[in-house]
Amino acid sequence: MPDPAPTRPLPPAVLETVQRYWGFDSLRPLQGQAIAAALAGRDSLVVLPTGGGKSLCYQVPPAVDGAIDVIVSPLISLMKDQVDGLKECGYPAACLYGGMATGQSRQVYRDLMARRLNLLFVSPERLVLSGTLDMLKRLDIRRFAVDEAHCISHWGHDFRPEYRKLALLHEEFPGASVHAFTATATERVRRDIAQQLHLRDPAVLVGCFDRPNLIYRILPKVDVEQQALEVIQRHRDEAVIVYCIARRETESLAFWLRQHGIKAMHYHAGMESADRHKAQEAFANDQIDVVVATVAFGMGIDRGNVRCVLHASMPKSLEHYQQETGRAGRDGLEAECVLLYSQADVIRWESLIEKSAAEAEVEVSDEVVQAQRRLLHDMRRYCAGLVCRHKFLSEHFGQPYPKDNCSACDTCLEETQDVEESTVVAQKILSCVARTGQRFGAGHIVDVLQGADTQAIHRWHHEGLSTYGLLKQMPKKVLLSLVYQLLDQELLTRSDGEYPTLLLNEASWQVMRGQQKIRLILPRKKVRSRKAAAGATAVETEISWEGADRGLADHLRTVRRQWAQERGVPPYLLFQDRTLIELVRRGPTSVAAMQGIYGLGSRKLADFGELLAGEIRTYCAQQVLSAASRDAVSAESGSQAGPGQVAPGRPTVARVKAFQMYAQGAQPEEVAKAVGQAMSSAWQYLVEFMSQPRAVDIGAWVTSRQYEQVIKVAGELSSPTPKAVFDHLGESVPYQLVRVILAHRRNVRAS
Ligand code: ADP
């Protein structure tokens, strides 16, 4: 089916538009082809992973050719967010949906008729109303984009019947092109989308599904609360989504996290809609860090800076997993996806599948139940296997994975911690099952191995068994997780029925006879940073907060929150984290110096450039004052340089950082590296640092002999410029050191 759009050069207006509205200086893979297809009026099916940049593909064309395009979008909140974000960029867009206030929709109609808009977002229900169709015909719409197009397919995981009616688009608008966008990779869904939408010779553009910025980790589930807390604490002040299976689990976990000082709320479909809305808004607006939710949460959430998605339980398919983890790191920066896995969740899903088939009002065919089981089986294989997660996912979604080591999953980072003498431990567990007659469940076996004092143990006289207390050094929850690992590796079997018991199979006997070695893993893993791993490439060049001035970062985050609140939009819509990171790293103190910063298009620069520069200047000035003259600068003298002192230059982030480092005795080489500037700048900062109105110990940079030599020669010369002293010394003291010494000397004299 793939029939990519021919690659022809894009009109220059495309990049100009992207730069002007969004402040991006290039296009991402396939965006160019998708935009070209739209501009040429050719139908297209664009499949890009979450965060791949689908929106830009349909937002750019009408801004280039001045058309009004219609975007069909499944969720009102999603539409509203997009429109708000576009407006902040100065892009004319609006939305229409059922239940909208009449005044508002009238205004949208007026804007459309006056051709003041380039994009109209509309819900599928509203689109197919005859009134809407008539209006769009009058506007001579040339392009329709269908977002989240997999909702049209029965085979997708988000089927929405109202999407089926979109088949009428080509009939009603024969001259218009239709463009479908989805992140769902399966071939079957893709074919279905093309058929259902009656796409005509579409350009099929399928992107790469791997998300190199995501680090996948799977931990044996032992203690959900404690493990969740541990993961979340790695992401202090960052956005985290936790997924649970059951509603009550979301409530209790959120409660527990709050008790441990985490700003968390729960979210599930059983809540009042106002409460749901409140949780969603609080998360979007950065008022809370963590949402603990069922799968109901997510589609309307576009927060790009989610740094971690934690699955407290296993999802029922890799498709769900891919979509839910896809909500992490949409901004392209590093993010973590942790799944707490237990075979118990597989069992739980199996019974849920059976139960929902049995209780369904319409008969569910065996084929559907089998399909669900297959999805579950793939999910289980993913969790239980100790293979590269990126590779597994790519291959599952039909794409080869080119690398041997992704450097971004627990397996490739070698974080997994094996149980010492796994085979022996397994033999102990299995022989306990044998000695108790294969008539008990996991809980009782664990009790026996732990040497517990329970009624059941006494009743069956199991305290007399040789396996009684055999693994008492192991915590109960860990032991239980090992039993589930054995089940997972099919080294044990579990009977059906209401009270399942553990049974031995052929493989169990092989292990007990020492014919098979096995591997069991512990819940605790060392978490390594991907950079520490050999062969890491993907994210080395990526932008991160690491090493950035924390104080300025916090300050800019706070002002982002304030400004966003004043404007009634979520903070991440105003500036993405990446924009803030670049601001912090480059520290521009004027609008001119902000050119080329990611995400600052002309409208944003006009609206916020001066404000941002002012905030950075103020912050830097405060830092210079406190770092360099904390106690010496009085209100009268201000920050003016005294006689003979070198006045500090403009307070830039680099200068502030350099001063802070010199105050700790850092060497110019280190400073140059840390602030990303040339050695000459680092020396200049050291000269300025020496000129601060307070005594500085120069011993970290020069020897007393060098100092004396320079001072002696300077005293002998009528005009002791650094160059003259340097020449006079026959270059025996490096020139930069001469400058530093003379600056220090002047300063000591002046004070
Ligand atoms: P998707 O809809 O495919 O999940 P989005 O359209 O939301 O992805 O884009 C994901 C992120 O990437 C957004 O923050 C967006 O601003 C950013 N982005 C999109 N295209 C580009 C580009 N060409 N350059 C830089 N950033 C981009």
Side-chain angles (χ1 to χ4, degrees):
M1 174 166 168
D3 178 15
T7 32
R8 48 177 103 98
L10 279 174
V14 169
L15 266 185
E16 278 161 28
T17 305
V18 170
Q19 174 63 47
R20 177 159 45 100
Y21 284 123
W22 292 276
F24 304 149
D25 51 17
S26 58
L27 291 173
R28 291 216 177 131
L30 297 186
Q31 283 182 329
Q33 283 104 310
I35 292 168
L39 288 172
R42 179 177 174 188
D43 282 1
S44 63
L45 170 56
V46 181
V47 190
L48 282 175
T50 310
K54 290 182 282 298
S55 327
L56 213 69
C57 303
Y58 57 72
Q59 289 164 347
V60 172
V64 169
D65 65 13
I68 302 175
D69 285 3
V70 175
I71 315 298
V72 185
S73 183
L75 276 188
I76 295 171
S77 56
L78 208 66
M79 285 194 252
K80 282 194 197 157
D81 263 9
Q82 285 222 32
V83 169
D84 284 348
L86 287 169
K87 282 184 180 160
E88 288 296 334
C89 296
Y91 184 115
C95 52
L96 272 182
Y97 48 87
M100 198 169 169
T102 322
Q104 271 181 319
S105 50
R106 277 214 193 106
Q107 183 59 45
V108 175
Y109 283 124
R110 274 198 295 274
D111 288 342
L112 283 169
M113 291 307 162
R115 303 198 78 86
R116 281 192 289 262
L117 298 174
N118 282 137
L119 269 193
L120 175 71
F121 289 82
V122 59
S123 62
E125 301 83 354
R126 179 91 186 213
L127 174 69
V128 297
L129 295 181
S130 58
T132 316
L133 291 174
D134 289 345
M135 177 208 46
L136 295 178
K137 282 178 190 159
R138 265 183 283 144
L139 286 166
D140 189 22
I141 298 295
R142 274 183 277 156
R143 277 182 298 257
F144 288 88
V146 180
D147 203 7
E148 311 285 358
H150 58 275
C151 293
I152 204 167
S153 171
H154 264 314
W155 305 109
H157 49 280
D158 269 328
F159 175 56
R160 298 177 63 116
E162 61 277 14
Y163 256 60
R164 285 281 160 121
K165 301 204 179 118
L166 299 178
L168 58 69
L169 284 176
H170 263 320
E171 273 166 45
E172 296 280 340
F173 300 86
S177 56
V178 175
H179 308 271
F181 294 87
T182 179
T184 302
T186 58
E187 179 69 32
R188 192 177 209 176
V189 175
R190 268 184 239 155
R191 268 202 310 268
D192 210 14
I193 293 172
Q195 272 167 12
Q196 298 289 338
L197 285 174
H198 303 310
L199 296 185
R200 296 182 298 216
D201 178 31
V204 180
L205 302 164
V206 182
C208 172
F209 273 85
D210 182 49
R211 301 271 314 273
N213 62 320
L214 300 188
I215 302 188
Y216 297 106
R217 295 193 162 98
I218 297 182
L219 284 160
K221 177 152 67 173
V222 169
D223 183 334
V224 176
E225 291 175 341
Q226 205 53 48
Q227 287 176 295
L229 186 64
E230 222 167 84
V231 173
I232 290 166
Q233 278 171 339
R234 283 208 287 275
H235 297 276
R236 271 244 168 258
D237 298 329
E238 294 179 341
V240 178
I241 305 176
V242 183
Y243 282 109
C244 301
I245 299 180
R247 295 172 180 180
R248 68 191 142 71
E249 287 165 351
T250 66
E251 294 175 12
S252 62
L253 185 54
F255 178 74
W256 195 82
L257 290 171
R258 280 197 298 276
Q259 284 188 316
H260 287 77
I262 308 283
K263 287 187 269 172
M265 282 172 96
H266 66 270
Y267 182 102
H268 57 69
M271 287 158 70
E272 291 291 321
S273 107
D275 292 338
R276 270 206 320 259
H277 185 69
K278 210 164 114 191
Q280 189 156 331
E281 290 283 293
F283 186 66
N285 293 332
D286 219 357
Q287 287 151 355
I288 56 167
D289 296 323
V290 179
V291 162
V292 187
T294 59
V295 287
F297 182 78
M299 217 199 194
I301 277 290
D302 237 0
R303 189 166 169 176
N305 60 351
V306 173
R307 294 271 75 86
C308 173
V309 167
L310 168 65
H311 280 94
S313 293
M314 185 190 80
K316 63 179 170 183
S317 72
L318 279 166
E319 284 66 18
H320 282 92
Y321 176 72
Q322 176 85 342
Q323 197 176 44
E324 286 149 22
T325 53
R327 293 183 181 125
R330 290 178 68 133
D331 53 10
L333 306 185
E334 186 171 302
E336 185 186 23
C337 306
V338 181
L339 188 154
L340 303 181
Y341 172 64
S342 163
Q343 229 265 339
D345 286 337
V346 180
I347 297 166
R348 193 165 162 201
W349 278 121
E350 269 167 359
S351 73
L352 281 172
I353 291 173
E354 264 164 38
K355 201 167 148 213
S356 68
E359 289 172 6
E361 284 168 16
V362 190
E363 197 185 336
V364 181
S365 70
D366 275 357
E367 202 193 357
V368 170
V369 174
Q370 286 309 329
Q372 290 178 342
R373 287 222 176 94
R374 261 197 308 277
L375 294 177
L376 186 62
H377 176 70
D378 287 340
M379 186 73 226
R380 188 192 72 80
R381 273 197 318 127
Y382 172 76
C383 295
L386 291 171
V387 293
C388 170
R389 315 283 178 199
H390 280 268
K391 189 174 166 68
F392 191 106
L393 288 172
S394 287
E395 290 176 354
H396 176 81
F397 290 110
Q399 290 184 336
Y401 187 72
K403 287 190 268 175
D404 288 334
N405 185 316
C406 70
S407 306
C409 76
D410 50 354
T411 314
C412 293
L413 289 166
E414 294 176 14
E415 294 177 340
T416 312
Q417 200 175 328
D418 288 16
V419 171
E420 237 176 86
E421 302 207 67
S422 293
T423 308
V424 176
V425 172
Q427 285 168 340
K428 290 179 180 172
I429 298 172
L430 295 174
S431 76
C432 188
V433 176
R435 284 179 197 285
T436 49
Q438 306 185 50
R439 289 188 317 177
F440 298 89
H444 182 75
I445 297 298
V446 167
D447 282 343
V448 174
L449 285 163
Q450 283 222 304
D453 182 18
T454 67
Q455 267 187 2
I457 286 180
H458 297 308
R459 180 161 161 227
W460 300 101
H461 305 298
H462 285 166
E463 67 274 31
L465 293 176
S466 58
T467 47
Y468 182 73
L470 202 54
L471 289 173
K472 61 168 169 287
Q473 76 282 7
M474 232 176 231
K476 184 169 180 173
K477 287 177 177 174
V478 172
L479 202 43
L480 198 58
S481 127
L482 300 186
V483 174
Y484 280 118
Q485 287 182 45
L486 290 176
L487 279 165
D488 221 2
Q489 296 180 35
E490 294 174 4
L491 300 170
L492 255 183
T493 315
R494 195 170 161 276
S495 70
D496 293 332
E498 206 178 335
Y499 299 105
T501 57
L502 298 179
L503 306 170
L504 300 171
N505 57 26
E506 183 44 36
S508 329
W509 290 106
Q510 283 179 3
V511 174
M512 281 195 282
R513 286 196 294 261
Q515 292 163 335
Q516 197 181 330
K517 273 198 176 326
I518 64 149
R519 193 173 167 197
L520 297 171
I521 52 174
L522 286 173
R524 195 155 296 279
K525 296 185 181 188
K526 23 185 192 311
V527 174
R528 298 177 62 197
S529 104
R530 77 161 77 212
K531 281 182 198 142
T537 49
V539 200
E540 270 169 357
T541 49
E542 271 189 25
I543 306 183
S544 81
W545 293 110
E546 211 175 299
D549 185 316
R550 193 77 208 179
L552 182 55
D554 289 345
H555 181 68
L556 291 186
R557 276 206 208 118
T558 308
V559 295
R560 169 173 69 175
R561 207 175 300 129
Q562 277 165 5
W563 295 344
Q565 205 172 8
E566 285 159 18
R567 299 170 83 92
V569 294
Y572 64 85
L573 274 188
L574 210 51
F575 305 112
Q576 294 187 27
D577 279 9
R578 186 163 164 190
T579 306
L580 293 196
I581 291 171
E582 287 196 16
L583 283 168
V584 171
R585 291 202 174 279
R586 281 177 40 182
T589 47
S590 69
V591 179
M594 282 178 201
Q595 296 302 330
I597 285 194
Y598 179 91
L600 293 182
S602 21
R603 174 66 173 267
K604 286 257 165 82
L605 270 184
D607 285 357
F608 293 100
E610 196 37 61
L611 285 171
L612 282 169
E615 293 295 337
I616 296 172
R617 279 195 303 266
T618 314
Y619 172 82
C620 292
Q622 280 163 358
Q623 293 302 304
V624 168
L625 283 179
S626 57
S629 54
R630 202 164 287 126
D631 36 30
V633 178
S634 68
E636 296 86 54
S637 64
S639 60
Q640 303 232 309
Q645 287 171 351
V646 177
R650 225 162 26 84
T652 61
V653 173
R655 184 169 266 112
V656 170
K657 181 151 191 175
F659 279 25
Q660 286 168 343
M661 289 182 73
Y662 284 135
Q664 308 285 321
Q667 293 303 309
E669 290 77 14
E670 297 169 84
V671 170
K673 216 161 142 196
V675 302
Q677 295 199 1
M679 277 304 293
S680 54
S681 307
W683 281 111
Q684 173 60 25
Y685 294 147
L686 185 55
V687 170
E688 292 174 15
F689 184 69
M690 288 301 146
S691 312
Q692 292 306 295
R694 68 173 175 160
V696 173
D697 180 1
I698 197 173
W701 301 280
V702 294
T703 63
S704 51
R705 181 165 156 68
Q706 287 170 324
Y707 197 89
E708 279 158 22
Q709 277 178 300
V710 170
I711 299 307
K712 182 163 175 285
V713 170
E716 290 163 7
L717 295 175
S718 55
S719 171
T721 60
K723 176 83 171 74
V725 175
F726 174 68
D727 288 345
H728 205 84
L729 279 167
E731 305 182 9
S732 62
V733 179
Y735 175 68
Q736 296 291 8
L737 277 190
V738 174
R739 290 181 66 211
V740 171
I741 295 169
L742 291 178
H744 183 264
R745 177 71 175 174
R746 270 196 307 270
N747 197 10
V748 173
R749 281 212 183 133
S751 52

